[in-house]
Amino acid sequence: MAHIIDGKVISVQIKDEVKSMAEELSAKGIEPCLAVILVGDNPASQVYVRNKKKACEYCGIKSLSYELSAETTEEELLSLIDELNAHKECNGILVQLPLPKHIDENKVLLRILPEKDVDGFHPYNAGLLSIGKADLKACTPAGCIELIKRSGVDITGRNCVVVGRSNIVGKPVGMLLLAENGTVTTCHSKTKDIKAVCKEADILVAAVGIPKFVKGDMVKEGACVIDVGINRMDNGKLCGDVDFDEVCKKAGYITPVPGGVGPMTIAMLMNNCIVACRKQNNL
Ligand code: NAD
């Protein structure tokens, strides 16, 4: 039976570390501050935004909240971002995705100053990640690395396989594993014989978006399996991209869904707020 990596426990550890870093800043008269922008009334986004604001409160990070109507124009959103870019006290800007269809997401993300891009989605930060020099790393991928490292799993020299090549998860996870000296292979929808590739993995990260995609016979005995997938099933329950019941019998380490990677994203966002705040204050 695999060791179950508890993302709830590890995310609280990280938030507690963030809290003490925020206290250190506060002792210097600096209050880390995150602006959270929500456009429209997507119920899932409302929950995410609420959780981000709660995490800020827990960590001692000030949050500025902007809840805009679904009719907000692209121009209006861009001018709010310009305002926050210029706002000295605001260290991070987070625009909750997805945005309503009439707003160009790319244009909006590009408008956020890279040093305030706490989601790590700006091409400048993605570029820094690819040369191993990023301060602001995409939160979910950075969370995966923390889960692996804090579980005592060594990445150096290990075969790491990432299933999925999206810009927000698959690619940055691969870059971060490479930066940790893993030997990285990325699989995607056009990969031939995924099972054979996955079976070679000492560390396997699934970010596919297909429930129970990774089966027991795709996993090497003792592997560390990180499940990024969040799939909402018809019964309302969440299901990962890994067939947990099968894979936990073979893996050495496994993350559950929910309670694995999910809680790490917000914890890493909080950490990025501190990173951004320190940098902006030349600390
Ligand atoms: P995406 O749809 O952008 O990318 C999916 C990737 O999987 C693509 O690169 C595609 O090539 C690959 N893929 C699709 N079908 C495949 C197949 N049959 N075989 C091999 N590869 C295949 O998704 P994403 O945004 O990267 O998200 C992936 C999953 O992670 C989703 O379930 C999403 O909900 C979840 N997610 C979780 C968090 C979190 O905080 N835990 C954050 C972001 C995304």
Side-chain angles (χ1 to χ4, degrees):
M1 225 5 217
H3 167 81
I4 296 172
I5 300 177
D6 192 333
K8 280 194 222 150
V9 167
I10 297 177
S11 69
V12 172
Q13 282 168 6
I14 291 174
K15 283 191 285 184
D16 285 339
E17 289 164 17
V18 168
K19 193 174 175 179
S20 56
M21 292 189 277
E23 281 163 6
E24 277 171 30
L25 287 166
S26 156
K28 294 187 165 80
I30 300 165
E31 189 179 27
C33 170
L34 170 70
V36 181
I37 306 175
L38 172 66
V39 186
D41 41 24
N42 178 326
S45 294
Q46 284 170 333
V47 173
Y48 290 137
V49 162
R50 204 178 315 132
N51 290 340
K52 285 169 189 174
K53 287 194 279 193
K54 258 200 249 167
C56 280
E57 217 171 290
Y58 182 89
C59 295
I61 294 172
K62 180 178 176 183
S63 67
L64 304 171
S65 180
Y66 299 86
E67 301 198 358
L68 313 178
S69 83
E71 286 74 45
T72 303
T73 65
E74 189 177 280
E75 244 353 84
E76 286 166 335
L77 179 56
L78 291 174
S79 80
L80 172 59
I81 290 172
D82 288 342
E83 208 180 286
L84 293 168
N85 279 338
H87 190 322
K88 285 265 176 310
E89 271 87 59
C90 163
N91 307 116
I93 304 171
L94 181 133
V95 178
Q96 185 63 47
L97 302 178
L99 289 168
K101 291 216 165 16
H102 64 278
I103 300 180
D104 181 345
E105 262 177 26
N106 250 337
K107 208 165 163 181
V108 170
L109 296 181
L110 270 172
R111 193 70 157 246
I112 298 171
L113 277 181
E115 56 265 39
K116 296 196 177 188
D117 166 41
V118 282
D119 253 338
F121 290 161
H122 194 289
Y124 180 81
N125 287 321
L128 286 180
L129 193 71
S130 78
I131 58 168
K133 297 210 182 304
D135 291 318
L136 296 173
K137 298 167 188 156
C139 302
T140 302
C144 294
I145 302 298
E146 288 299 321
L147 289 175
I148 298 168
K149 288 171 71 169
R150 289 179 190 237
S151 301
V153 175
D154 192 15
I155 302 174
T156 299
R158 313 293 294 281
N159 278 343
C160 305
V161 173
V162 181
V163 191
R165 59 170 163 184
S166 73
N167 290 333
I168 61 164
V169 189
K171 277 186 206 150
V173 167
M175 297 291 183
L176 289 171
L177 288 165
L178 198 55
E180 296 290 339
N181 300 312
T183 302
V184 181
T185 307
T186 302
C187 296
H188 47 79
S189 52
K190 302 282 187 281
T191 300
K192 295 203 170 80
D193 203 355
I194 287 206
K195 184 170 154 182
V197 182
C198 290
K199 278 203 88 152
E200 293 300 313
D202 301 310
I203 297 170
L204 178 62
V205 181
V208 202
I210 301 176
K212 300 188 181 182
F213 179 86
V214 175
K215 301 286 179 194
D217 64 358
M218 295 167 75
V219 175
K220 183 175 170 175
E221 202 75 46
C224 172
V225 180
I226 306 293
D227 188 352
V228 185
I230 301 182
N231 306 290
R232 177 81 57 190
M233 308 308 279
D234 290 340
N235 62 8
K237 287 198 173 154
L238 293 182
C239 171
D241 290 349
V242 173
D243 189 328
F244 185 88
D245 293 340
E246 277 188 31
V247 174
C248 74
K249 293 183 192 127
K250 279 190 86 181
Y253 297 81
I254 188 167
T255 61
V257 176
V261 175
M264 295 299 289
T265 302
I266 292 188
M268 300 315 290
L269 171 71
M270 297 298 108
N271 187 64
N272 273 350
C273 291
I274 300 292
V275 171
C277 178
R278 280 182 173 163
K279 193 109 200 249
Q280 286 159 38
N281 286 282
N282 301 313
L283 292 171

